[in-house]
Amino acid sequence: MSHLAFPELRPFTASVGNNARPAITRTPHRYLRWLLGAAILLLIYRIGLMALLPLADTTEARYGEIARQAVANGFWLMPHIDPNTPFFAKPPLSTWASAVSMILFGVNEFAARLPALLASLIALWVAMSFAKELQIRQRWLVAPVLATSPLFFLCAGAVMTDALQMVLIVAALYFAWRALDAADKGHPERHWRIAFWVMIGLGALCKGLATWALIGLPLIAYAVTERRPLQMFKQVFDWGGVAIAACIFMPWYIAAEYYNPGFLNYFIIGEHFARFLVPGWKGDHYGIAQHQPIGAIWIFWTLGILPWIGVFVMELLRLFSKQRKQTKPIERFLWCATLAPLIFFTFSRNIIWTYGLTAALPFSVLAARWLEKASATMQRRASIGVMAIACLYVLSGPYVQEKVAANSDRDLIAAFNRIAEPGTELAYRMHPAYSSDYYSRGNLEYDPNAALANNPEKELVVIDSSDIQKDGIKADHVLYVGKFHALIRPE
């Protein structure tokens, strides 16, 4: 597919009319290299963080442990948090990806995170394809935009479902656009429709109906904007594609409900409707329901694309000031893909900071266009700013390491393995964190009555760090102290 090829690096040029004129270099090569260099630097830095940082509680450690359970205990049909607890909150696609990576590269942090990085790089590739549709000459400019956006950077190497969902959504939207564009030009190409429906099928295995909604909402918004919803529906719909999508996801849903009765009720009703429509929803079996103020998604969005928020506001205002004939269909499509999920989540309270991720990809294309068309002075300032942000990210590495390590039991488990004699058991007086299970490989016990004095068992005990002073634990019995948990040798 030649239209997805990575473009060559070349200076910005401009020409007027049909009169041949020498190319005008608007930005020196060194500034272009700063932009590309910043993106490469952040990619290397992200890979480094993937290998060095522990899986932190709760999200990363939870999904890392679910993938480890699949590898260790064969829970390939229904993901499990522990050997006795099936995980109904998400379908298994992201778990399968991390588990396969662990089989190939070992049970470690880098292997667990690798699928998220690969998904993000594919999403970047698709964003560049959108940039070609928008006739951006320097299509790689989407890379520094995304790399310096905290939302994308953080999700690009984290054990979560968001990166995989992002690439499925942006790919589905790209295939839908190509199908619509081809049909409008009078030569419909069915393979774009089939590819779209394959993404629909895979989306159901990623986050279910939520993925479908985030694909459908931009398409509905665009169809309404173009005032021809029925025609566009016919241009994308394909019975063969629907059958392929059903064959991709239906076998798993049927088997999951058959072997785990109640799964569909929890996942479809609870996770897709009650979670968003019921403030402070109490039905979450695996986490804590969020209770954000109305409109919190815009705060998350602002922080998530922070270096580019000015471009977002400026370009959005420019869009509303233009007449319809002054905008291209692909531009309107990208704005629908950017704004639809943000508007949708505006009225939901039960959201988290990652929910704006699917809007980041289409916005990066619009930001890349702004960057290409900006004045030479602005391009130079943006290049310097992007490199400065990249350097700031790298320099913050030790701080990030400290903060993430504080929210993980990796160091505590390492201390136990280093100190404990063969046959020594590890007992948690509080409920173990997900990172506790992951790093101990499940070799611990939850014993709220574990004795700290006259302990008849051959075991070391984990207690809340704040209880050391309260329980009068002697200093020579404290083996490790973390932010939340401490490892104690009973007297």
Side-chain angles (χ1 to χ4, degrees), residues 34-287:
W34 281 20
L35 287 169
L36 187 60
I40 294 173
L41 174 63
L42 288 174
L43 173 61
I44 296 171
Y45 177 57
R46 195 66 188 92
I47 292 173
L49 292 180
M50 288 167 57
L52 296 175
L53 294 181
L55 299 187
D57 291 305
T58 57
T59 301
E60 269 210 300
R62 174 172 60 185
Y63 288 113
E65 174 61 8
I66 291 171
R68 190 196 69 80
Q69 286 288 339
V71 174
N73 298 313
F75 295 126
W76 292 97
L77 175 63
M78 177 59 68
H80 274 59
I81 287 181
D82 59 53
N84 301 312
T85 310
F87 184 65
F88 287 174
K90 299 289 187 299
L93 190 59
S94 61
T95 295
W96 290 344
S98 288
V100 168
S101 182
M102 288 179 178
I103 290 174
L104 294 175
F105 304 108
V107 179
N108 55 67
E109 296 91 346
F110 181 82
R113 290 165 170 149
L114 181 58
L117 178 66
L118 296 178
S120 299
L121 292 175
I122 296 172
L124 172 62
W125 188 26
V126 178
M128 289 171 57
S129 301
F130 265 126
K132 180 180 180 181
E133 295 295 305
L134 195 56
Q135 298 181 339
I136 298 175
R137 297 180 67 246
Q138 307 288 341
R139 300 190 291 276
W140 58 269
L141 285 172
V142 299
V145 172
L146 287 171
T148 52
S149 298
L151 178 59
F152 183 86
F153 181 82
L154 291 173
C155 292
V159 192
M160 300 186 293
T161 59
D162 300 272
L164 192 57
Q165 182 189 46
M166 169 187 64
V167 70
L168 294 176
I169 290 172
V170 71
L173 293 175
Y174 177 74
F175 295 141
W177 164 255
R178 292 303 301 268
L180 293 170
D181 187 51
D184 287 342
K185 292 176 179 177
H187 47 84
E189 300 175 16
R190 192 184 183 205
H191 64 275
W192 295 119
R193 299 200 304 273
I194 296 298
F196 168 78
W197 287 101
V198 169
M199 294 302 105
I200 293 292
L202 292 174
L205 291 177
C206 184
K207 280 195 175 183
L209 300 183
T211 306
W212 289 0
L214 291 173
I215 293 171
L217 285 172
L219 295 179
I220 293 171
Y222 180 65
V224 172
T225 300
E226 300 301 293
R227 303 183 183 92
R228 47 193 181 102
L230 184 59
Q231 179 185 352
M232 288 188 176
F233 174 78
K234 292 179 179 179
Q235 291 173 342
V236 173
F237 187 80
D238 188 289
W239 280 113
V242 172
I244 292 172
C247 289
I248 290 173
F249 73 85
M250 283 299 293
W252 179 80
Y253 276 83
I254 293 171
E257 177 64 23
Y258 180 80
Y259 289 103
N260 300 271
F263 158 70
L264 288 178
N265 179 68
Y266 177 86
F267 180 62
I268 301 297
I269 304 301
E271 288 287 337
H272 287 89
F273 296 99
R275 172 177 291 277
F276 300 104
L277 300 177
V278 179
W281 178 52
K282 303 297 183 182
D284 194 333
H285 295 173
Y286 311 101

Side-chain angles (χ1 to χ4, degrees), residues 184-451:
D184 287 342
K185 292 176 179 177
H187 47 84
E189 300 175 16
R190 192 184 183 205
H191 64 275
W192 295 119
R193 299 200 304 273
I194 296 298
F196 168 78
W197 287 101
V198 169
M199 294 302 105
I200 293 292
L202 292 174
L205 291 177
C206 184
K207 280 195 175 183
L209 300 183
T211 306
W212 289 0
L214 291 173
I215 293 171
L217 285 172
L219 295 179
I220 293 171
Y222 180 65
V224 172
T225 300
E226 300 301 293
R227 303 183 183 92
R228 47 193 181 102
L230 184 59
Q231 179 185 352
M232 288 188 176
F233 174 78
K234 292 179 179 179
Q235 291 173 342
V236 173
F237 187 80
D238 188 289
W239 280 113
V242 172
I244 292 172
C247 289
I248 290 173
F249 73 85
M250 283 299 293
W252 179 80
Y253 276 83
I254 293 171
E257 177 64 23
Y258 180 80
Y259 289 103
N260 300 271
F263 158 70
L264 288 178
N265 179 68
Y266 177 86
F267 180 62
I268 301 297
I269 304 301
E271 288 287 337
H272 287 89
F273 296 99
R275 172 177 291 277
F276 300 104
L277 300 177
V278 179
W281 178 52
K282 303 297 183 182
D284 194 333
H285 295 173
Y286 311 101
I288 301 174
Q290 306 296 319
H291 190 65
Q292 307 290 356
I294 294 293
I297 188 65
W298 294 99
I299 298 175
F300 296 149
W301 173 250
T302 299
L303 296 175
I305 62 163
L306 190 58
W308 305 98
I309 189 62
V311 176
F312 174 77
V313 173
M314 182 172 55
E315 289 295 287
L316 186 59
L317 292 175
R318 183 175 291 126
L319 173 71
F320 288 129
S321 67
K322 291 180 180 178
Q323 296 182 0
R324 178 184 177 82
K325 62 183 179 182
Q326 294 177 302
T327 61
K328 300 177 181 179
I330 181 60
E331 180 181 359
R332 297 193 292 272
F333 186 90
L334 289 169
W335 273 115
C336 288
T338 300
L339 296 175
L342 300 176
I343 294 172
F344 174 72
F345 287 120
T346 295
F347 305 99
S348 176
R349 293 180 180 273
N350 197 1
I351 61 173
I352 58 176
W353 60 273
T354 61
Y355 281 16
L357 181 61
T358 59
L361 269 293
F363 167 68
S364 72
V365 181
L366 297 165
R369 183 191 60 173
W370 170 85
L371 189 55
E372 181 170 270
K373 290 186 175 182
S375 66
T377 300
M378 184 60 70
Q379 291 165 0
R380 183 168 57 253
R381 290 175 179 174
S383 300
I384 295 172
V386 165
M387 180 55 78
I389 291 170
C391 293
L392 181 62
Y393 277 24
V394 174
L395 292 174
S396 68
Y399 175 80
V400 172
Q401 170 74 23
E402 178 185 352
K403 290 299 180 182
V404 174
N407 287 293
S408 174
D409 268 1
R410 182 177 71 173
D411 292 343
L412 185 149
I413 299 300
F416 170 81
N417 292 331
R418 189 169 56 249
I419 296 168
E421 299 176 358
T424 302
E425 296 180 353
L426 180 63
Y428 271 68
R429 293 189 71 182
M430 78 291 297
H431 200 284
Y434 292 114
S435 64
S436 312
D437 288 315
Y438 177 83
Y439 285 106
S440 70
R441 303 297 188 255
N443 295 320
L444 55 80
E445 64 173 333
Y446 171 44
D447 183 5
N449 299 313

